[in-house]
Amino acid sequence: MRFRHPDGSTVHLSYCTNVHPAETLDGVRAQLRDHCEPVRRRLGRDRLGIGLWLAGDAARSLINDPSQLRSLRAELDRRGLEVVTLNGFPYEGFGADEVKYRVYKPDWTDPERLAHTTDLARLLAGLLPDDVTDGTISTLPIAWRTPFDSDAEAAGAAHTALTSLAERLDALAELTGKSIRIGLEPEPGCTIETTADAIGPLTAVGHPRIGICIDTCHLATSFEDPGTAVDALDAAGIPVAKAQLSAALHAEHPHLPEVRAALAAFAEPRFLHQTRTRTAAGLRGTDDLDEAVTGRALPDGAPWRAHFHVPLHTPPAPPLTSTLPELRSALTRLVGSARPLTRHLEVETYTWQALPAALRPRTRTQLADGIAAELTLARDLLVDLGLKELP
């Protein structure tokens, strides 16, 4: 979906296909047929943006056979789909029964992360619509905090890899005329947990093609004020490559037994749900939701937030809610001013099948209805900010 910003530029809205597990190129094609095109039809649109997730095997298949890349691009066109952004965070196994800490491997100390991201940049340059010259890719925020935080050599290796990536992106732009930018995506528990944590490493890299991806669920989970965070990035000259529109799980009164019980229903075995609270001494947290609800790992005198991407249009039932207000605030700062600070927006609720059983979609039709409803909400927010939906 495309929108005209009041400054005349185009803002793209898509949804991320990591909600549909697929490790192979055949699986990606099935996603387009079984999920993405039906969502487009529900929205009544001739064209729908998707934030494509290409696992390592699928990406290699496309790199090794350019005819397959051309075929995929043609299929996207035929199904009324377009790609201006890729999710390069998960490398493989995102549809596994247990993902947890595996999603952070390979990290930016591993040469495979650089190789994979370079492949993704080359592929995105070939998938961009003819009238689009700018593409973006989100990636993990360097590494999970352990053992990285105590390893100076690892920090140097990550810096070198990102610098090499910037040089490769420059060369790709010269070769293809397509400008691909990368956004490190701060996430709780990682070496870059907050947008503030990102400023130092990104300033050190010092290249306009290496910026940040703001995930509004992660932002809220770490209790960052959206306006303050975005203003600090802007002041530091850190480009916001893309923003992922997502909402976290919020518990206002975590000391109450009924609140703990409601939270426990969201503790599940597939994904990591880092949980945070603010104290007078600063942010406190656990690596997963079950650690918070079953013990005394977290103080419970102030609200808790958990890294669980809840559907944008349906906040959880009381006594829980979502951080949709923080998403609105971030979106207002990102695209509601005289100039947009990013032009790529991506709805990224990948946890539909991790919801409590009663809330999960049971059919493809129900899932498509839910994704379409999320995109409709995001569209309405953009229109309220003065953007005009384009055909």
Side-chain angles (χ1 to χ4, degrees), residues 71-378:
S71 175
L72 179 61
R73 168 65 191 279
E75 183 165 0
L76 288 165
D77 290 342
R78 187 170 67 253
R79 297 191 183 281
L81 306 169
E82 66 177 12
V83 174
V84 302
T85 190
L86 300 180
N87 188 326
F89 195 138
Y91 176 74
E92 62 185 1
F94 202 61
D97 291 340
E98 181 177 335
V99 179
K100 299 291 185 181
Y101 296 94
R102 292 171 51 192
V103 76
Y104 306 106
K105 294 293 186 178
D107 61 32
W108 277 101
T109 67
D110 187 331
E112 180 55 31
R113 175 59 65 171
L114 174 59
H116 177 59
T117 308
T118 302
D119 285 348
L120 293 180
R122 292 171 56 193
L123 295 173
L124 182 55
L127 291 173
L128 287 176
D130 292 338
D131 62 344
V132 175
T133 58
D134 297 321
T136 57
I137 302 171
S138 49
T139 188
L140 82 161
I142 300 187
W144 184 253
R145 69 181 185 278
T146 55
F148 183 94
D149 284 354
S150 60
D151 189 342
E153 184 177 341
H159 175 83
T160 299
L162 290 170
T163 301
S164 296
L165 177 64
E167 295 170 352
R168 295 179 184 187
L169 295 176
D170 283 344
L172 182 66
E174 286 188 25
L175 180 66
T176 66
K178 305 292 187 179
S179 176
I180 308 299
R181 293 181 297 143
I182 307 298
L184 302 185
E185 182 185 333
E187 178 166 321
C190 292
T191 187
I192 296 177
E193 171 155 341
T194 66
T195 57
D197 294 336
I199 291 175
L202 290 175
T203 301
V205 173
H207 197 287
R209 296 194 198 281
I210 310 294
I212 196 168
C213 168
I214 293 180
D215 183 303
T216 57
C217 170
H218 303 173
L219 191 80
T221 300
S222 294
F223 286 88
E224 289 195 80
D225 175 73
T228 301
V230 174
D231 287 348
L233 293 169
D234 195 28
I238 303 298
V240 181
K242 66 188 278 191
Q244 289 174 327
L245 308 184
S246 53
L249 194 60
H250 180 95
E252 187 69 18
H253 302 292
H255 64 287
L256 297 176
E258 60 269 28
V259 175
R260 293 288 186 105
L263 283 169
F266 285 84
E268 53 84 35
R270 179 178 293 181
F271 300 112
L272 207 59
H273 301 296
Q274 303 93 313
T275 305
R276 299 289 185 266
T277 188
R278 282 188 296 191
T279 72
L283 207 63
R284 291 278 302 278
T286 60
D287 282 357
D288 216 344
L289 181 56
D290 58 354
E291 300 170 34
V293 298
T294 60
R296 302 195 178 195
L298 276 188
D300 58 9
W304 288 0
R305 289 178 180 170
H307 172 215
F308 195 117
H309 290 217
V310 295
L312 302 186
H313 65 296
T314 53
L320 304 178
T321 187
S322 80
T323 59
L324 184 61
E326 282 70 22
L327 184 159
R328 286 195 176 104
S329 178
L331 194 60
T332 299
R333 183 64 188 87
L334 287 167
V335 301
S337 301
R339 65 180 178 92
L341 297 182
T342 186
R343 293 185 175 87
H344 289 180
L345 306 171
E346 179 183 58
V347 171
E348 199 218 6
T349 304
Y350 59 84
T351 44
W352 282 93
Q353 299 303 336
L355 290 167
L359 303 178
R360 293 175 197 166
R362 291 178 172 80
T363 64
R364 288 178 186 170
T365 296
Q366 289 178 347
L367 178 58
D369 287 344
I371 293 170
E374 287 193 295
L375 286 166
T376 298
L377 182 146

